[in-house]
Amino acid sequence: MCAMVTWEYALLVRRYQGQGRSFSVSFIWYGPDGSRLDITAYGDTAIAHLNRAGREGWELVSAAEDVNNVQGSTEVHRYHLKRPLD
Protein backbone atom coordinates (compact mmCIF):
# COMPACT_ATOMS: atom_id res chain seq x y z
CA MET A 1 0.00 0.00 0.00
CA CYS A 2 1.29 3.48 -0.87
CA ALA A 3 1.92 5.92 1.92
CA MET A 4 0.15 9.22 1.42
CA VAL A 5 2.40 12.29 1.34
CA THR A 6 1.26 15.11 3.60
CA TRP A 7 2.37 18.69 3.09
CA GLU A 8 2.86 21.90 5.00
CA TYR A 9 2.57 25.27 3.32
CA ALA A 10 4.16 28.69 3.69
CA LEU A 11 3.97 32.06 1.99
CA LEU A 12 6.73 34.52 1.08
CA VAL A 13 5.54 38.06 0.33
CA ARG A 14 7.74 40.64 -1.37
CA ARG A 15 6.43 44.20 -1.12
CA TYR A 16 7.92 47.06 -3.14
CA GLN A 17 6.68 50.55 -2.30
CA GLY A 18 7.96 53.60 -4.12
CA GLN A 19 7.21 57.27 -4.15
CA GLY A 20 9.20 59.37 -6.59
CA ARG A 21 12.86 58.39 -6.24
CA SER A 22 12.45 56.80 -2.83
CA PHE A 23 11.41 53.18 -2.41
CA SER A 24 11.53 50.30 0.04
CA VAL A 25 11.47 46.53 -0.41
CA SER A 26 10.45 44.13 2.33
CA PHE A 27 10.08 40.36 2.59
CA ILE A 28 7.67 38.69 5.03
CA TRP A 29 7.58 34.93 5.70
CA TYR A 30 4.27 33.40 6.80
CA GLY A 31 5.10 30.01 8.29
CA PRO A 32 2.97 26.88 8.42
CA ASP A 33 2.37 27.47 12.14
CA GLY A 34 0.77 30.87 11.46
CA SER A 35 3.87 32.83 12.38
CA ARG A 36 4.81 36.06 10.57
CA LEU A 37 8.48 37.00 10.31
CA ASP A 38 10.18 39.95 8.63
CA ILE A 39 13.11 38.32 6.77
CA THR A 40 14.18 41.37 4.76
CA ALA A 41 17.64 41.31 6.34
CA TYR A 42 18.36 37.84 4.87
CA GLY A 43 18.58 39.11 1.28
CA ASP A 44 17.55 41.84 -1.12
CA THR A 45 16.08 39.73 -3.93
CA ALA A 46 13.25 37.22 -4.17
CA ILE A 47 15.69 34.70 -5.68
CA ALA A 48 17.90 34.91 -2.57
CA HIS A 49 14.90 34.19 -0.36
CA LEU A 50 13.55 31.40 -2.57
CA ASN A 51 16.97 29.71 -2.71
CA ARG A 52 17.23 29.92 1.08
CA ALA A 53 13.77 28.35 1.42
CA GLY A 54 14.73 25.66 -1.12
CA ARG A 55 17.73 24.68 1.00
CA GLU A 56 15.25 24.14 3.85
CA GLY A 57 13.17 21.76 1.72
CA TRP A 58 10.55 24.22 0.44
CA GLU A 59 9.31 23.94 -3.14
CA LEU A 60 7.72 26.85 -5.03
CA VAL A 61 4.12 25.96 -5.94
CA SER A 62 2.86 29.23 -7.43
CA ALA A 63 3.58 32.94 -7.69
CA ALA A 64 1.23 35.90 -8.04
CA GLU A 65 1.77 39.63 -8.52
CA ASP A 66 -0.38 42.68 -7.73
CA VAL A 67 0.68 46.08 -9.09
CA ASN A 68 -0.92 49.41 -8.18
CA ASN A 69 0.58 52.42 -9.93
CA VAL A 70 -1.86 55.05 -8.70
CA GLN A 71 -0.13 57.51 -6.35
CA GLY A 72 3.35 56.11 -6.72
CA SER A 73 4.18 52.47 -7.19
CA THR A 74 3.30 49.42 -5.14
CA GLU A 75 4.05 45.84 -6.10
CA VAL A 76 3.20 42.79 -4.04
CA HIS A 77 4.58 39.41 -5.08
CA ARG A 78 3.32 36.28 -3.33
CA TYR A 79 5.27 33.03 -3.48
CA HIS A 80 3.38 29.97 -2.25
CA LEU A 81 5.62 27.12 -1.09
CA LYS A 82 5.18 23.57 0.20
CA ARG A 83 7.31 20.81 1.67
CA PRO A 84 6.52 17.30 2.80
CA LEU A 85 5.92 16.70 6.47
CA ASP A 86 8.26 14.18 8.04
Side-chain angles (χ1 to χ4, degrees), residues 8-44:
E8 64 180 344
Y9 298 90
L11 175 65
L12 172 65
V13 176
R14 175 195 177 269
R15 183 177 303 275
Y16 169 92
Q17 292 181 291
Q19 187 70 27
R21 293 184 179 193
S22 129
F23 69 92
S24 67
V25 177
S26 63
F27 292 89
I28 305 296
W29 178 262
Y30 295 88
D33 61 355
S35 61
R36 180 184 184 277
L37 181 63
D38 183 341
I39 60 169
T40 305
Y42 296 145
D44 60 358

Side-chain angles (χ1 to χ4, degrees), residues 4-83:
M4 183 172 62
V5 176
T6 55
W7 304 95
E8 64 180 344
Y9 298 90
L11 175 65
L12 172 65
V13 176
R14 175 195 177 269
R15 183 177 303 275
Y16 169 92
Q17 292 181 291
Q19 187 70 27
R21 293 184 179 193
S22 129
F23 69 92
S24 67
V25 177
S26 63
F27 292 89
I28 305 296
W29 178 262
Y30 295 88
D33 61 355
S35 61
R36 180 184 184 277
L37 181 63
D38 183 341
I39 60 169
T40 305
Y42 296 145
D44 60 358
T45 66
I47 294 297
H49 290 284
L50 291 170
N51 282 328
R52 188 173 143 272
R55 287 188 298 274
E56 295 175 3
W58 293 99
E59 177 182 359
L60 181 63
V61 176
S62 70
E65 175 185 12
D66 296 328
V67 177
N68 176 1
N69 287 318
V70 179
Q71 303 275 331
S73 179
T74 301
E75 297 175 10
V76 177
H77 299 248
R78 293 176 186 84
Y79 303 94
H80 301 269
L81 301 111
K82 72 175 184 179
R83 71 177 174 189

